């Protein structure tokens, strides 16, 4: 296929708007032809929008004690409560909190922690990966050895360790507020290695290309070349990893919260909700566990599938 | 100048070959109604610039078109037998036995994990009715024939232990070991240095002459064609522009494209300040002009060149696909 | 005074395996001498061509000249200033902006994420110069349209990309452009367009080129003076007519005989013998002696130095 020339963009697009251009692109075309990608994107979008606009959508504010009625506790889904006659879509928990609303608010925390952790890991990983790849020598050796060592510990273990240390040094009264941030740092720190590895690999390829030589030639400094020239060219694999990491980070957050070292019960994430819910699993109140768990599954699965598709779509060798 | 005409049926015969690539923007046609023959003991040079379709035509012959590219129409005959309609399995057998292939990068044709002797004997055992010890003897003989010093020792080396030029020799030995009647060499010397290139070209010529193998030599290098080929087919935008004996086509081209191409080589302009240049660039496959594909760049364009259908080389006869070929009567 | 003066330039690369592997396999350090004691001068407003096969060190010399690689030994002086030794930052800056480079691969030498406008203007923008309208003006100068400034590199063909590279090289108004195989990735007809453009620009801007190529025909067309390299050593230097009509060094003779001729129909010349030796363990004496028809005992022990032979400088004991 050496001889084939790809269709020229200008012939296809003319001078239409940027949006039209994007919709015409090969990327958009591939996306439309992949049903799995379309469905997972739709599910992700619905869940993210639900979390984002939780205060507008949720019928109740689960964190407002004034709106809670203990009499509503343990309402079954779609069934009027025996005492108050109130009906809840997905039922209520032991304290009478609407499960649907707690899921929406819980997802907010899950997504916030997941996204922030990935962002943190991404910034750290990209910086260290670029440095290791571009500078080389001892810088590279040290960064990559640290990464290797980090990889030998399971990430949950690393997260728990950091969580434990943070818990030890924060005063009790701040612990609940700190918990979220500690979670983000803990998950982010256990996740930067793969970003660093991928960025370093891509940087090693890019830095030997002649456009980098051209930039060095005119006296551009190392940081300028790394940020302005190399960084934009190593971002596509980063995007793929970031998407898959987001799914993993949400699960990690849920795991930590489930184990009781994560989000506090006053600010429950999906993981916390599942932990609370499992107490009632065998007493017949299945919905308190089931709906948060199903939401977590749907969220993680669709984000992960989206990442998988993105990896295939951005990898020219698979096309 | 008289050409000895070969009366036997050609080894390879391509008739009106058309290759299509359906894309979402429409069907691209990288090879468009191409016909040529290669006779036994003959080297046919196929030249053209990138995008001319020369490699795509070669890949069609060996049945290695990457989907969605496919043969849309036309026939490919090997020793009088149609091969473009063969099922994949039979085509694969044929490719090893009857058609030898040499690509630009020798590493794509060699398995890095196997000793070259094993790769040679494996191919021979699959296609020839001989014993393993006979195959090994022949492998060493094949390596000697392509000029690898110390063949008896080096037969047990791995591909990475050879230099680029030596590797290409090994690939040629591999292409030849099943005694094919046709060799397709796609830019076999492009990755090599000048001195090594001369060695490989001399080798190809000698083997073709001694064994009577038909060779289709695909390259962009006019000098290589001049020295190696008996006949030359010039391709432009998927079509055959000019075909004929190499002395006639290169020394006195009658298609304006061949003329321009020859003129733009630095050798042809020795002593001049500027090189002759063809204006513009080869059209993209999805933006071919109507009529003759070369007309927007041609200095001799007239009205009929712009109208469909464009000029074609008549099947079996004719030399240039041009309505207004350069008259060479006064030159010759 | 010559614009560029290269004196006893040598570059050695350490191509050893990591020390742990060396320790286990008991192997010494492997040193590759890519460029060995090369000296030549480039006059202002001329084209000096370096020819040679792969491994001849021609690109390494180019990289040392523009300052992408430091020399192991020897000096590169531009207007009498050695960039590796000079301490005055202003002088270094002014020399640096006088040198530009055009690379072989038009696909790798443009950042795919940048617009053409920013690519072309970068050499000026990096020094804080005014870049308004610069890219548009240069694009028209190299035969493209000013409207192309807003496009990305992937929208251009190989020849057009090489024009963009030339426009970038011109942006800082250099005196010297090092052209490393600028047309070997291009088709013949496109090559002619690019070479013509380079000739025109040279006259228009009074440029000096160091033209690196493996293609003898291109070199013959472009150069005012040609240096032939073999295994990192300068073996012959002459003007094109002398070199092509009366090559003095046996390697040059072999190279010229091996190059395909457009009118060489059915030419049967005995192909060159042997291959380029391993640069890690070059043969003693003259590097060409294992392949040379003239080789004698002296060639295996004593390395020939450049001497004048009928208008050329030749490193051979027996030439002339």
């Amino acid at each position: 296929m050496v001889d084939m020339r790809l269709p020229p963009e200008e012939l296809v697009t003319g001078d239409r708007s940027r949006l039209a251009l994007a919709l015409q692109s090969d990327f958009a075309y591939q996306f439309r032809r992949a049903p799995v990608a379309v469905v997972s994107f739709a599910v992700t979008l619905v869940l993210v929008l639900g979390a984002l606009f939780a205060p507008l959508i949720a019928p109740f504010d689960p964190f407002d004690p004034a709106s809670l009625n203990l009499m509503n506790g343990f309402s079954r889904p779609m069934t009027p409560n025996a005492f108050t006659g109130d009906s809840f879509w997905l039922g209520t928990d032991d304290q009478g909190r609407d499960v649907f609303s707690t899921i929406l608010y819980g997802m907010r925390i899950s997504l916030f922690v997941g996204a922030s952790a990935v962002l943190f890991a991404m910034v750290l990983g990209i910086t260290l990966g670029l440095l290791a790849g571009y500078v080389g020598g001892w810088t590279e050796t040290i960064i990559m050895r640290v990464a290797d060592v980090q990889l030998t510990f399971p990430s949950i273990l690393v997260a728990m360790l950091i969580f434990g240390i943070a818990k030890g040094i924060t005063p009790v009264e701040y612990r609940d507020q700190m918990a979220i941030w500690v979670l983000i740092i803990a998950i982010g720190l256990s996740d930067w290695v793969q970003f660093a590895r991928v960025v370093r690999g891509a940087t090693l390829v890019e830095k030997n290309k002649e456009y980098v030589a051209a930039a060095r030639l005119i006296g551009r400094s190392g940081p300028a070349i790394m940020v302005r020239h190399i960084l934009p060219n190593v971002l596509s694999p980063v995007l793929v990893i970031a998407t898959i990491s987001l799914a993993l980070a949400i699960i990690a957050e849920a795991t930590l919260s489930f184990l009781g070292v994560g989000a506090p019960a006053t600010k429950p994430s999906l993981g916390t909700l599942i932990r609370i819910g499992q107490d009632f699993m065998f007493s017949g109140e299945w919905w308190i566990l089931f709906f948060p768990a199903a939401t977590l599954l749907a969220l993680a699965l669709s984000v992960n599938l989206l990442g998988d598709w993105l990896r295939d779509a951005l990898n020219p060798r698979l096309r | 100048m008289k050409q000895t005409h070969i009366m036997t049926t050609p080894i390879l015969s391509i008739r009106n070959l058309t290759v299509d690539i359906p894309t979402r923007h429409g069907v691209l046609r990288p090879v468009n109604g191409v016909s040529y023959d290669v006779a036994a003991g003959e080297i046919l040079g196929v030249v053209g610039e990138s995008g001319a379709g020369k490699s795509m035509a070669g890949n069609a012959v060996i049945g290695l078109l990457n989907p969605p590219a496919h043969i849309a129409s036309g026939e490919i005959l090997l020793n009088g037998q149609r091969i473009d309609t063969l099922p994949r399995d039979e085509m694969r057998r044929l490719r090893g036995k009857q058609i030898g292939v040499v690509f630009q990068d020798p590493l794509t044709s060699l398995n890095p994990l196997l000793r070259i002797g094993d790769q040679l004997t494996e191919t021979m055992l699959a296609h020839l009715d001989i014993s393993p010890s006979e195959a090994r003897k022949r492998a060493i003989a094949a390596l000697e024939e392509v000029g690898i010093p110390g063949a008896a020792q080096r037969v047990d080396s791995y591909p990475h232990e050879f230099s680029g030029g030596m590797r290409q020799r090994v690939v040629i030995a591999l292409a030849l070991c099943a005694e094919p009647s046709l060799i397709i060499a796609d830019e076999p010397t492009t990755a090599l240095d000048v001195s090594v290139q001369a060695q490989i070209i001399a080798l190809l010529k000698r083997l073709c002459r001694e064994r009577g193998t038909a060779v289709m030599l695909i390259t962009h290098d006019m000098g290589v064609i001049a020295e190696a080929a008996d006949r030359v087919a010039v391709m432009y935008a998927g079509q055959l522009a000019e075909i004929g004996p190499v002395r006639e086509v290169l020394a006195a081209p009658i298609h304006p494209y061949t003329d321009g191409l020859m003129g733009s080589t630095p050798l042809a302009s020795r002593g001049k300040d500027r090189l002759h240049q063809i204006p513009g660039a080869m059209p993209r496959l999805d933006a071919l002009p109507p009529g003759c594909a070369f007309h927007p760049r041609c200095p001799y364009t007239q009205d009929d060149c712009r109208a469909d259908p464009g000029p074609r080389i008549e099947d079996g006869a004719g030399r240039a696909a041009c309505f207004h070929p350069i008259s060479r009567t006064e030159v010759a | 005074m010559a614009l560029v003066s290269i004196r006893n330039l040598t570059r050695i690369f350490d191509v050893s395996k990591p020390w742990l592997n060396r320790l286990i396999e008991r192997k010494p350090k492997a040193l590759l001498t890519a460029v060995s004691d090369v000296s030549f001068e480039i006059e202002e407003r001329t084209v000096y061509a370096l020819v040679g096969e792969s491994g001849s060190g021609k690109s390494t010399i180019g990289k040392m000249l523009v300052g992408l690689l430091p020399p192991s030994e020897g000096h590169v002086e531009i207007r009498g200033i050695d960039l590796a030794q000079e301490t005055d930052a202003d002088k270094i800056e002014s020399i640096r902006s006088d040198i530009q480079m055009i690379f072989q691969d038009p696909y790798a030498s443009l950042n795919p994420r940048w617009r053409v406008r920013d690519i072309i203007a970068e050499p000026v923008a990096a020094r804080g110069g005014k870049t308004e309208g610069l890219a548009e003006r240069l694009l028209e100068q190299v035969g493209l349209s000013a409207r192309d400034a807003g496009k990305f590199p992937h929208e251009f063909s190989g020849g057009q990309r090489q024009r963009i590279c030339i426009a970038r090289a011109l942006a800082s108004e250099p005196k010297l452009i090092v052209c490393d195989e600028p047309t070997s990735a291009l088709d013949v007809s496109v090559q002619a367009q690019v070479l013509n453009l380079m000739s025109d620009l040279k006259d228009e801007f009074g440029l000096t080129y160091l033209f690196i190529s493996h293609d003898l025909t291109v070199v013959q067309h472009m150069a005012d003076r040609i240096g032939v390299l073999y295994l990192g050593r300068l073996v012959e230097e002459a003007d094109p007519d002398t070199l092509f009509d009366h090559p003095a060094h046996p390697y040059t003779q072999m190279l010229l005989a091996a190059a395909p001729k457009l009118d060489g129909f059915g030419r049967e010349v005995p192909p060159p013998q042997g291959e380029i030796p391993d640069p890690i363990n070059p043969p003693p004496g003259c590097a060409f002696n294992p392949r040379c028809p003239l080789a004698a005992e002296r060639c295996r022990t004593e390395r020939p130095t450049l001497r004048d032979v009928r208008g050329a400088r030749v490193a051979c004991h027996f030439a002339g």
Side-chain angles (χ1 to χ4, degrees):
Chain A
M1 299 283 276
V2 184
D3 270 345
M4 200 188 110
R5 295 184 174 195
L6 291 169
E9 288 304 315
E10 68 265 28
L11 284 176
V12 190
T13 49
D15 44 19
R16 266 168 277 165
S17 72
R18 265 171 172 264
L19 180 68
L21 232 139
L23 289 176
Q24 283 276 340
S25 71
D26 287 343
F27 188 75
Y29 175 73
Q30 275 197 334
F31 178 74
R32 284 198 297 274
R33 301 229 321 190
V36 174
V38 175
V39 170
S40 26
F41 181 70
V43 171
T44 312
L45 195 70
V46 166
L47 291 177
V48 169
L49 286 179
L52 222 53
F53 298 108
L56 301 178
I57 301 167
F60 303 93
D61 182 350
F63 305 130
D64 179 9
S67 73
L68 293 180
N69 184 349
L70 270 177
M71 296 298 282
N72 276 331
F74 297 124
S75 299
R76 302 186 76 84
M78 311 291 281
T79 321
N81 186 282
F83 305 105
T84 59
D86 293 343
S87 181
F88 303 91
W89 284 0
L90 303 182
T92 58
D93 65 4
D94 55 337
Q95 319 221 358
R97 290 190 293 200
D98 177 34
V99 170
F100 179 63
S101 305
T102 50
I103 286 176
L104 286 181
Y105 278 91
M107 212 157 52
R108 253 163 102 90
I109 293 166
S110 285
L111 275 169
F112 175 74
V113 171
S116 309
V118 169
L119 199 71
F120 176 62
M122 207 162 85
V123 170
L124 193 65
I126 289 176
T127 313
L128 292 175
L130 268 177
L131 270 174
Y134 188 77
V135 179
W138 281 108
T139 316
E140 180 179 17
T141 311
I142 292 169
I143 292 175
M144 295 329 284
R145 284 305 87 81
V146 170
D148 288 342
V149 170
Q150 166 117 49
L151 270 191
T152 58
F153 295 105
S155 52
I156 286 292
L157 216 62
V158 176
M160 286 184 80
L161 180 74
I162 295 167
F163 205 90
I165 295 169
K167 212 172 173 181
I169 55 176
T170 12
V172 183
E173 58 268 34
Y174 295 116
R175 238 175 235 170
D176 274 10
Q177 286 166 312
M178 289 298 289
I180 298 286
W181 298 103
V182 173
L183 258 182
I184 291 170
I185 291 169
I187 297 171
L189 270 184
S190 67
D191 211 27
W192 66 273
V193 174
Q194 44 177 336
F195 286 100
R197 288 195 149 187
V198 165
V199 168
R200 171 182 161 269
T203 304
L204 286 176
V205 174
E206 293 298 324
K207 84 165 178 182
N208 285 319
K209 289 197 177 161
E210 289 163 341
Y211 70 84
V212 174
R216 282 174 54 200
L217 189 69
I218 56 172
R220 280 276 192 204
S221 66
I225 291 176
M226 277 190 267
V227 174
R228 289 174 47 87
H229 281 284
I230 295 180
L231 183 61
N233 286 295
V234 299
L235 279 183
S236 8
V238 167
L239 184 64
V240 174
I241 299 186
T243 316
I244 294 173
S245 289
L246 178 62
L248 293 176
I250 290 169
I251 294 172
E253 182 278 326
T255 312
L256 288 173
S257 299
F258 182 81
L259 293 174
V261 291
T266 49
K267 273 188 177 176
S269 71
L270 287 177
T272 322
L273 292 178
I274 293 169
R275 188 190 73 212
I276 297 168
Q278 70 147 358
D279 295 343
F280 307 105
M281 192 163 67
F282 295 108
S283 52
E285 289 85 16
W286 53 271
W287 60 89
I288 305 175
L289 171 69
F290 177 80
F291 290 112
T295 313
L296 177 70
L297 183 76
L299 184 64
L301 187 67
S302 57
V303 172
N304 212 338
L305 286 174
L306 205 60
D308 265 357
W309 172 80
L310 211 58
R311 177 173 53 203
D312 295 348
L314 292 178
N315 187 346
R317 267 182 302 177
L318 285 177
R319 264 191 264 173
Chain B
M1 188 187 324
K2 263 214 163 140
Q3 281 291 313
T4 43
H5 204 74
I6 301 147
M7 292 304 288
T8 49
T9 47
I11 299 281
L12 173 72
S13 183
I14 295 177
R15 288 280 158 269
N16 285 316
L17 180 70
T18 297
V19 174
D20 278 359
I21 304 175
T23 72
R24 68 186 177 109
H25 304 300
V27 176
L28 304 179
R29 187 157 282 181
V31 180
N32 187 354
V34 168
S35 304
Y36 47 73
D37 294 340
V38 193
E42 181 186 53
I43 299 182
L44 173 77
V46 181
V47 273
E49 302 181 272
S50 42
K54 54 189 193 304
S55 291
M56 196 70 88
N59 287 346
V61 172
I62 46 183
L64 285 182
L65 288 174
N66 288 332
H70 62 276
I71 296 174
S73 63
E75 293 180 4
I76 301 170
L77 300 143
L78 186 71
N79 295 314
Q81 180 207 357
R82 259 192 95 162
I83 59 168
D84 54 312
T85 48
L86 286 180
R88 284 185 91 82
D89 278 359
E90 273 181 61
M91 190 62 217
R92 194 182 319 133
R93 225 169 300 142
L94 193 78
R95 198 155 57 224
K97 172 79 189 91
Q98 303 246 34
I99 308 176
V101 185
V102 181
F103 287 117
Q104 173 176 341
D105 179 4
L107 286 181
T108 58
S109 313
L110 296 172
N111 184 335
L113 300 178
L114 289 180
R115 299 171 197 276
I116 57 160
D118 294 343
Q119 302 192 39
L120 285 162
T121 49
E122 188 186 30
T123 311
M124 277 188 272
L125 291 174
H127 298 295
L128 302 175
D129 189 18
I130 51 173
S131 69
S133 60
E134 170 69 14
R136 187 173 164 87
K137 257 185 236 154
R138 286 206 200 180
I140 295 171
L143 292 177
E144 270 167 7
E145 194 173 0
V146 296
I148 289 182
Q153 292 86 50
R154 304 215 69 181
V155 69
D156 289 321
S157 307
Y158 290 93
H160 70 87
E161 299 175 67
F162 291 86
S163 68
M166 285 295 158
R167 259 183 228 140
Q168 197 61 297
R169 286 170 196 261
V170 173
V171 172
I172 293 175
L174 193 63
L176 283 169
C177 67
E179 295 166 2
S181 50
L182 172 71
I183 287 189
I184 294 185
D186 192 347
E187 304 271 9
T189 61
T190 305
L192 305 175
D193 278 322
V194 183
S195 61
V196 182
Q197 165 172 292
Q199 294 167 352
I200 298 291
I201 293 294
L203 172 67
L204 270 180
K205 279 164 80 173
R206 180 166 62 79
L207 293 171
C208 168
R209 195 170 52 222
E210 288 172 2
R211 296 186 168 214
T213 315
V215 178
M216 184 170 155
L217 174 64
I218 301 165
T219 176
H220 68 282
D221 190 326
M222 303 298 264
V224 169
I225 290 286
E227 297 210 340
D230 300 301
R231 287 192 311 130
V232 58
V234 183
M235 289 190 70
Y236 184 79
Q239 297 179 13
L240 215 50
E242 184 164 0
I243 184 167
V246 68
R247 284 166 203 271
E248 293 174 24
V249 173
L250 296 199
I254 62 171
H255 194 291
Y257 173 63
T258 322
D259 190 48
L261 202 58
M262 292 303 294
S264 54
T265 55
L267 263 188
S269 316
R270 190 172 176 187
K272 293 185 199 133
D273 273 355
R274 291 176 61 85
L275 296 166
H276 172 81
Q277 63 182 58
I278 310 176
M282 184 160 3
R284 297 194 200 227
L285 286 175
D286 58 350
L288 289 177
C292 173
F294 188 60
H295 87 253
R297 307 173 68 191
C298 180
Y300 311 109
T301 300
Q302 298 182 21
D303 283 346
D304 52 350
C305 300
R306 296 188 187 92
D308 276 324
R312 279 297 166 91
I313 295 178
E314 289 308 314
D315 202 18
R319 189 171 130 188
C322 182
F323 290 136
H324 309 285
I326 301 164
S327 166
R328 291 283 176 186
T329 42
E330 67 272 25
V331 184
Chain C
M1 192 179 72
L3 179 66
V4 179
S5 162
I6 284 177
R7 284 189 285 118
N8 308 102
L9 197 62
T10 298
R11 173 71 207 195
I12 296 166
F13 289 104
D14 186 348
V15 291
S16 319
K17 291 181 178 173
W19 67 268
L20 194 62
N21 296 44
R22 283 209 310 275
L23 204 72
I24 295 166
E25 294 167 26
R26 295 174 181 278
K27 291 223 172 98
K29 274 198 161 192
L31 296 177
L32 187 152
T33 307
V35 176
S36 170
D37 198 13
V38 168
S39 305
F40 62 88
E41 291 190 336
I42 308 176
E43 297 295 329
E44 196 149 5
R45 296 184 183 228
T46 64
V47 179
Y48 190 99
L50 284 176
V51 272
E53 299 180 278
S54 52
S56 65
K58 51 191 192 300
S59 292
T60 310
I61 294 178
K63 283 185 187 150
M64 284 192 279
L65 208 164
V66 297
L68 283 176
L69 268 181
S72 302
E73 280 167 47
H75 303 276
V76 176
E77 285 181 3
I78 292 150
R79 296 183 195 289
I81 294 168
D82 185 343
L83 279 183
Q85 310 271 312
E86 185 61 48
T87 47
D88 185 341
D90 286 348
K91 269 189 181 169
I92 292 181
E93 188 55 33
S94 92
I95 293 292
R96 267 186 173 254
S97 69
D98 273 354
I99 315 173
Q100 267 296 338
M101 188 159 180
I102 301 169
F103 300 90
Q104 172 175 2
D105 184 352
Y107 292 84
S109 52
L110 301 175
N111 190 335
R113 306 274 169 179
W114 281 35
R115 283 181 197 279
V116 167
R117 176 182 295 113
D118 302 322
I119 291 175
I120 293 177
E122 197 193 8
V124 176
R127 298 190 167 86
K130 271 176 70 90
T131 61
E132 209 181 294
L134 175 72
E136 285 78 1
R137 192 161 47 76
L138 285 165
L139 278 171
E140 287 185 348
Q141 215 134 25
V142 297
L144 294 170
S145 151
R147 280 175 308 151
D148 291 335
K151 293 184 184 167
F152 286 98
H154 73 86
E155 297 174 53
F156 297 89
S157 68
Q160 291 171 320
R161 285 168 189 237
Q162 208 57 307
R163 286 172 194 266
I164 297 172
C165 292
I166 293 173
R168 170 177 60 190
L170 291 173
S172 61
E173 297 176 8
K175 296 282 180 292
L176 171 73
I177 300 185
V178 173
C179 317
D180 189 357
E181 304 262 13
T183 61
S184 46
L186 305 178
D187 281 318
V188 186
S189 69
V190 181
Q191 164 173 288
Q193 296 172 355
V194 171
L195 290 179
N196 281 342
L197 173 69
M198 290 176 65
S199 298
D200 294 345
L201 293 171
K202 171 180 165 267
D203 297 340
E204 199 177 330
F205 294 97
L207 298 171
T208 307
Y209 289 146
L210 174 67
F211 198 94
I212 297 166
S213 178
H214 71 281
D215 189 332
L216 291 163
T217 61
V218 171
V219 163
Q220 184 178 16
H221 176 77
M222 292 295 288
D224 296 305
R225 192 127 181 110
I226 301 173
V228 182
L229 291 166
Y230 185 74
L231 216 68
R233 306 158 190 211
L234 194 61
V235 296
E236 182 166 1
E237 191 199 66
D239 59 84
D241 287 340
T242 313
L243 191 85
F244 282 86
D245 294 338
H246 309 288
H249 195 284
Y251 174 66
T252 317
Q253 290 165 359
M254 187 203 87
L255 208 56
L256 289 179
K261 312 263 177 302
L262 274 178
D263 52 358
F265 304 120
R267 194 169 67 114
E268 296 284 347
V269 284
Q273 294 303 306
E275 296 193 3
I276 299 170
D278 180 6
I280 296 173
N281 299 303
C286 172
F288 191 57
N289 82 64
R291 305 170 73 185
C292 182
L294 302 178
E297 195 46 46
R298 186 181 172 198
C299 305
R300 290 182 199 104
T301 52
E302 185 189 336
R303 178 172 166 183
T305 49
L306 284 171
R307 62 199 172 85
D308 288 326
V309 179
R310 280 181 279 127
R313 292 201 302 149
V314 188
C316 176
H317 295 308
F318 297 107

